[in-house]
Amino acid sequence: MKGSFRQSMAWLHTWSGLVVGWLLFMIFLSGTATYFRQEISQWMRPELNVPVVSTEAALDSATRYLNTHAADATRWFIRLPDPRNPAEMFAFWEHPDGSFGDALIHPQTGDTLTVRDTRGGEFFYRLHFDLHYMPAIPARLIVGLCAMIMLIALISGIITHKKIFKEFFTFRPGKGQRSWLDAHNALAVLSLPYHLVITYTGLLTLIFLYLPFNPQPLYPEADRTFFNEAVGHLPAPEATGEAAALADFAPMLTTASARWEGADAGIVTVHHPGDRAARVDIQRLDSSRIAFNPQVAVFNGVTGEFVRAAGNPSAAATTFGVLYGLHIARFAEPALRLLLCLAGLAGTAMIGTGLVLWVVKRQPKQAGQRQPFGVRLVTALNRAVVIGLPTAMVSYFWANRLLPVDMAQRAEWEIHLFFIVWTLGLLFAWLRPGLRGWLAQLWLTAALCALLPLVNALTTSRGLPGTLMQGDSAFVWFDAAMLALSALLAVTARYLQRRARQARRSPAQRARNATSLEPLS
């Protein structure tokens, strides 16, 4: 770092962006997909196609199932259907010996639902902060470091571009480095508030992992005590050993909803079902408000009497909950989720153009001059991430439809194929450098996206024509998104092909176009 302050910030912005740029691209793109993880999970489990029932009826169905299959459990945990997951009800229980069981329950009949084994959209959610194959704690520390560097890159970028808002309205195509810089600036300014908020709140979500020291002086031996007091959780009751039947859940749900101004229940926990000391905790649906602080209505499980409200934390904890809620955006309605998704894609593209811009600045000055090894390596990594990662994500969806439904470890193999395709994309980028390699991967990914709705129609009963007629919104929008993505990739590939042909036809045109195609060649 040398020269003026702005020059030093430019150096910091360039190198901080490159060092973690590829990982940040993956974090942003998979995190953006997370805005629709429930819808992705629905699409990846086409067997989930059951009628919508009321919360009370669904809870009664879950209770019947658990009374039959988990009557001896010390705790029931029931995740109720909600507007984004109307066909899914998940139950989890703990046995006295410490073992656990779980089941996907039909909300109407109370029977076990059999669906294909898949991680669905949950894979992208966990990938963007757990990195999948790595141990959780080191992975989250690495992601936190990347988020901190991303915040540094954003701030240093703002300082570097003193005319950044003017530059937002400037785009000069076909100008090589200038064009890539214009695109990078425009994408950065377009969603700058989003980039700052999502990066800062992403750091906050795991703040107690990165800075675990603050509670320790007051809570040296009881870590959970701090969290219970901070968010207002209640400890579990002790069983009495006296048998008693559970009260009807319907009045409890009505009382809880009234306390939440009409909001629905999301999770029901029953402590010691069938015991005199049974307690029912009804948690508010987390998508009904911005703050991600669970609000709980606590009831006597035998009498059904309201006991108290839990989950009303201090002002500091509420502020943390609001910031956490802004990051995961479970409160967002479909239109807002779409805007957040577009902002996330803009952030992803901002990182991608920044990576390409690094290569543009370091292209050989003379035609035919060999690229240095480091520049060639960065060029290959750029292509493996910028187009290889989308190819792997679409391949993940193809695997969901083509792998045998009864295959052992099916969910794991969907994920393995994702990483296999991504690795092949990296090898192809290294072995087949140049514009033709870019075009091949662009056309391949466009074809995979375009054909995915057809594969879905051929392998399931929920193809696009039928879902349009039935108003099956999750499937309709998923297939529409694949077709739109295919069109975008095809237009990009076609544009690059046209520019390359123009460069070959005319020496003057070749001189004008050469610099704009250099980072892809």
Side-chain angles (χ1 to χ4, degrees):
M1 298 175 67
K2 59 184 179 179
S4 67
F5 177 68
R6 284 185 61 248
Q7 288 175 326
S8 296
M9 289 298 100
W11 181 93
L12 180 62
H13 180 78
T14 298
W15 288 99
S16 62
L18 178 70
V19 168
V20 297
W22 303 293
L23 189 54
L24 280 173
F25 189 96
M26 184 275 292
I27 293 169
F28 256 73
L29 187 56
S30 57
T32 298
T34 296
Y35 286 125
F36 293 96
R37 66 170 167 157
Q38 286 90 340
E39 289 75 14
I40 291 173
S41 294
Q42 284 186 52
W43 188 89
M44 296 184 73
R45 291 182 291 184
E47 298 85 2
L48 280 177
N49 190 16
V50 301
V52 178
V53 300
S54 66
T55 301
E56 292 81 1
L59 189 53
D60 286 342
S61 298
T63 304
R64 290 197 305 272
Y65 179 91
L66 291 168
N67 276 325
T68 303
H69 298 88
D72 66 335
T74 59
R75 185 179 58 157
W76 295 345
F77 175 93
I78 306 166
R79 189 178 67 204
L80 297 167
D82 61 62
R84 294 181 65 186
N85 297 281
E88 178 180 330
M89 181 166 60
F90 179 77
F92 175 85
W93 59 89
E94 182 180 1
H95 293 290
D97 61 0
S99 61
F100 299 93
D102 61 80
L104 196 62
I105 302 173
H106 195 296
Q108 188 177 49
T109 66
D111 299 327
T112 304
L113 277 169
T114 302
V115 298
R116 65 189 63 198
D117 187 20
T118 180
R119 291 284 297 277
E122 189 72 16
F123 166 63
F124 296 126
Y125 172 68
R126 304 296 300 190
L127 177 67
H128 97 282
F129 69 93
D130 267 1
L131 308 182
H132 189 67
Y133 286 123
M134 288 191 64
I137 298 302
R140 295 177 187 185
L141 290 172
I142 291 172
V143 171
L145 177 63
C146 291
M148 179 60 72
I149 294 175
M150 175 70 175
L151 199 59
I152 293 171
L154 286 171
I155 295 171
S156 59
I158 293 170
I159 295 170
T160 300
H161 297 280
K162 62 181 179 180
K163 298 180 180 179
I164 191 169
F165 290 102
K166 178 182 178 181
E167 293 170 348
F168 169 63
F169 297 99
T170 303
F171 180 69
R172 289 154 284 193
K175 301 295 183 181
Q177 180 177 329
R178 183 71 258 177
S179 299
W180 287 104
L181 183 59
D182 287 346
H184 184 68
N185 292 339
L187 290 165
V189 180
L190 178 65
S191 302
L192 182 58
Y194 170 86
H195 301 151
L196 291 169
V197 169
I198 207 69
T199 305
Y200 177 68
T201 55
L203 276 169
L204 285 182
T205 58
L206 296 173
I207 191 65
F208 292 107
L209 173 63
Y210 309 139
L211 299 173
F213 316 107
N214 291 338
Q216 290 178 357
L218 294 177
Y219 302 88
E221 298 178 356
D223 294 337
R224 292 304 310 173
T225 305
F226 165 73
F227 292 102
N228 289 339
E229 292 185 10
V231 301
H233 282 172
L234 288 176
E238 295 291 334
T240 64
E242 301 178 30
L246 280 172
D248 185 14
F249 285 111
M252 301 186 208
L253 291 170
T254 302
T255 301
S257 180
R259 297 186 64 86
W260 302 326
E261 301 176 347
D264 292 328
I267 297 172
V268 174
T269 305
V270 182
H271 300 276
H272 305 297
D275 190 89
R276 177 68 61 183
R279 193 182 83 199
V280 177
D281 300 344
I282 301 180
Q283 181 176 317
R284 180 175 180 169
L285 184 65
D286 55 27
S287 63
S288 63
R289 65 189 194 128
I290 294 179
F292 191 65
N293 292 119
Q295 286 190 329
V296 182
V298 181
F299 297 87
N300 185 303
V302 176
T303 66
E305 178 184 1
F306 175 76
V307 176
R308 58 161 290 182
N312 294 307
S314 65
T318 300
T319 302
F320 174 79
V322 170
L323 294 172
Y324 200 131
L326 286 173
H327 186 81
I328 60 177
R330 294 183 183 174
F331 64 89
E333 295 297 324
L336 179 56
R337 281 204 309 278
L338 179 59
L339 288 175
L340 291 172
C341 181
L342 292 175
L345 291 175
T348 306
M350 175 191 69
I351 297 168
T353 53
L355 291 170
V356 173
L357 186 59
W358 190 94
V359 175
V360 174
K361 292 180 177 179
R362 289 157 181 83
Q363 285 294 319
K365 301 301 181 182
Q366 298 179 1
Q369 186 177 350
R370 186 175 179 83
Q371 280 186 336
F373 175 81
V375 175
R376 186 184 175 196
L377 176 62
V378 172
T379 303
L381 289 171
N382 285 351
R383 198 171 97 201
V385 171
V386 172
I387 187 60
L389 178 57
T391 307
M393 293 175 74
V394 179
S395 300
Y396 175 67
F397 300 135
W398 274 70
N400 177 262
R401 288 298 187 259
L402 297 182
L403 289 178
V405 174
D406 57 352
M407 178 181 179
Q409 297 183 329
R410 188 180 190 281
E412 287 75 13
W413 269 105
E414 287 181 357
I415 297 171
H416 294 337
L417 287 173
F418 166 88
F419 285 104
I420 289 171
V421 171
W422 197 6
T423 303
L424 291 175
L426 173 60
L427 292 175
F428 182 66
W430 180 259
L431 297 174
R432 188 66 175 87
L435 181 59
R436 290 184 180 179
W438 277 93
L439 291 172
Q441 286 192 259
L442 283 167
W443 283 119
L444 172 63
T445 310
L448 290 174
C449 292
L451 293 174
L452 186 58
L454 177 61
V455 172
N456 173 55
L458 293 175
T459 56
T460 73
S461 61
R462 302 177 77 174
L464 187 56
T467 54
L468 277 170
M469 296 291 293
Q470 299 167 12
D472 195 345
S473 59
F475 276 70
V476 170
W477 282 108
F478 187 97
D479 287 349
M482 289 297 105
L483 293 174
L485 181 58
S486 174
L488 177 62
L489 292 168
V491 168
T492 303
R494 184 63 179 163
Y495 171 78
L496 292 175
Q497 282 181 324
R498 186 169 61 251
R499 292 295 298 268
R501 282 199 299 267
Q502 291 173 352
R504 288 194 296 268
R505 288 173 184 168
S506 164
Q509 187 67 40
R510 182 166 60 249
R512 288 194 295 271
N513 290 343
T515 55
S516 63
L517 295 175
E518 276 177 354
L520 308 180
S521 61

